[in-house]
Structure formats: C-alpha cells, structure tokens
Amino acid sequence: DLGWRDTGFQGGDIPTPNIDRIAHEGVRFSRFYCTPLCTPTRASLMTGRSPMRYGLVYSVVRPWSHYGLPADEHVMAETFKAAGYQTAIIGKWHLGHAHKSHLPNRRGFDHFYGHLNAEIDYYTHTEYGGLDWQRNGAGVREEGYTTDLLADEAVRWLGNRDRGRPFFLYLAFNAVHSPLQAPAQLVEKYAGIPNKSRRLYAAMLDSMDSAIG
C-alpha cells in the first residue's frame, strides 16, 4: 500500500531519510518486481518464481482461506538455513496459515514474530476480533504500536544472535497497510496536511522510516 511517489527518493513530500539512504546506497528494483497485492509479491520474493506457477497471483490469502504457499515450493530462508545462517522473519507473513506446513517456522525460519494475515489493528493486534500476533506459534498479548514492536524485536534478535554465524533477517512491516492508525504525536507533526487520511498515512510512513533507521 506504499504509494510509488510517497518516498523521498521518488520525489514524495513525506520525509523518509532512512528509506532514501537504502535506495541511494543499495540496489533498487524498479521493473515490475511486485504486484499491487500482498500475497503474490511476498510469494515471488520468497521463492524467486512467478506466483502464477502455484496459484497465488489473483488474490490474497484471506483469514478464512485454507490454501497458502505450497509446501513443495522452495523458500529463500531454506537456502540460507541450509548454508548455516540464522534465520528470522519479523512482521507480516501472509503466505498461508491454515496448516502447519504453511507457517514460517516450517519454511526455513528459526524465529517468527508478528502476524499471519493481512491488515491488523495496530494497537490490539487483532483481525476480525481475533488475536493475530505471535512469537514462534504462541499467541502474544502485549501493548504497543506494531511498527515499534516489530522494530524492537528486530533489534533484540540482532543483539542476541550468534555473532560467529551469518544471518538472514526478513523484516516485513505491516505499515502502511490499512487501517490508518498512528501515534498521536506523529499525527500532530503533520497537522499542516488538510486531509485527515493523508495526515494519518504520513504519520504511519514516518513511523516506519524511523523504525527502519
């Protein structure tokens, strides 16, 4: 849900200095490497293959869906794990949740903290009234804004890792996905934006950029 021109390096009017630094110092993929849907894009990223090949291209995995990324599809984390890497996913999965074979801890990730479905409430961490927030399969009830919690977990995981081994960390923020929710102090920072939804969106993007930093 991040707009193409909502980042600073693309000419956007919302400051994103940390994302901009990654864009300027790293590698930018700009030739149709994603779709405007969560599940197909994540499936492509994790497998390196078109989601058309395994039936995940037309829609997203819904909370009531029984399907997910097929178990026989090789996932990036499995390659890293086989090479001796420590592996973790922190944030949004959205590649299946109905069967254990769909879950991140069965797909090459040693550690998982975050949520399995699409949009969740940024403060209650629920979707359709049910908790969707966990650490390695165990539900977690905790206070905090999801963007901050994900960043804190990533920093904690990096600090506790075995520094004698390489690591692969897949950090997938749910921001700036709906619902539009942000800390009040950040919303106030963008008080000059007339449109309420745009103010909330700017605050969400600001929060994510800070977390990335």
Side-chain angles (χ1 to χ4, degrees), residues 135-157:
R135 183 178 282 109
N136 296 319
V140 178
R141 293 190 181 276
E142 57 188 353
E143 295 183 356
Y145 186 63
T146 61
T147 304
D148 297 334
L149 293 174
L150 296 176
D152 290 345
E153 182 80 1
V155 170
R156 185 162 46 246
W157 186 84

Side-chain angles (χ1 to χ4, degrees), residues 70-205:
D72 58 355
E73 283 293 331
H74 189 82
V75 175
M76 186 196 312
E78 296 175 303
T79 298
F80 282 110
K81 188 176 176 67
Y85 280 63
Q86 302 160 86
T87 58
I89 168 177
I90 295 172
K92 179 177 176 178
W93 175 239
H94 210 192
L95 289 174
H97 57 271
H99 304 282
K100 288 183 178 179
S101 61
H102 291 158
L103 302 180
N105 293 112
R106 295 288 186 93
R107 309 306 295 259
F109 288 102
D110 300 320
H111 182 75
F112 170 46
Y113 172 82
H115 60 108
L116 296 169
N117 284 286
E119 68 276 2
I120 63 170
D121 187 284
Y122 282 77
Y123 290 99
T124 65
H125 318 130
T126 58
E127 182 174 25
Y128 292 103
L131 181 70
D132 188 7
W133 199 250
Q134 63 165 276
R135 183 178 282 109
N136 296 319
V140 178
R141 293 190 181 276
E142 57 188 353
E143 295 183 356
Y145 186 63
T146 61
T147 304
D148 297 334
L149 293 174
L150 296 176
D152 290 345
E153 182 80 1
V155 170
R156 185 162 46 246
W157 186 84
L158 288 168
N160 293 332
R161 76 187 190 279
D162 178 357
R163 295 179 181 272
R165 295 168 55 206
F167 71 91
F168 168 56
L169 170 60
Y170 171 40
L171 176 56
F173 289 99
N174 59 316
V176 289
H177 199 292
S178 60
L180 295 177
Q181 297 172 308
Q185 67 272 18
L186 280 179
V187 178
E188 180 62 28
K189 177 179 176 180
Y190 294 96
I193 298 178
N195 183 278
K196 179 182 178 182
S197 294
R198 184 67 176 174
R199 281 200 303 275
L200 285 165
Y201 178 90
M204 294 170 74
L205 180 52

Side-chain angles (χ1 to χ4, degrees), residues 25 31 35 55 88:
E25 297 179 3
R31 301 291 180 91
T35 78

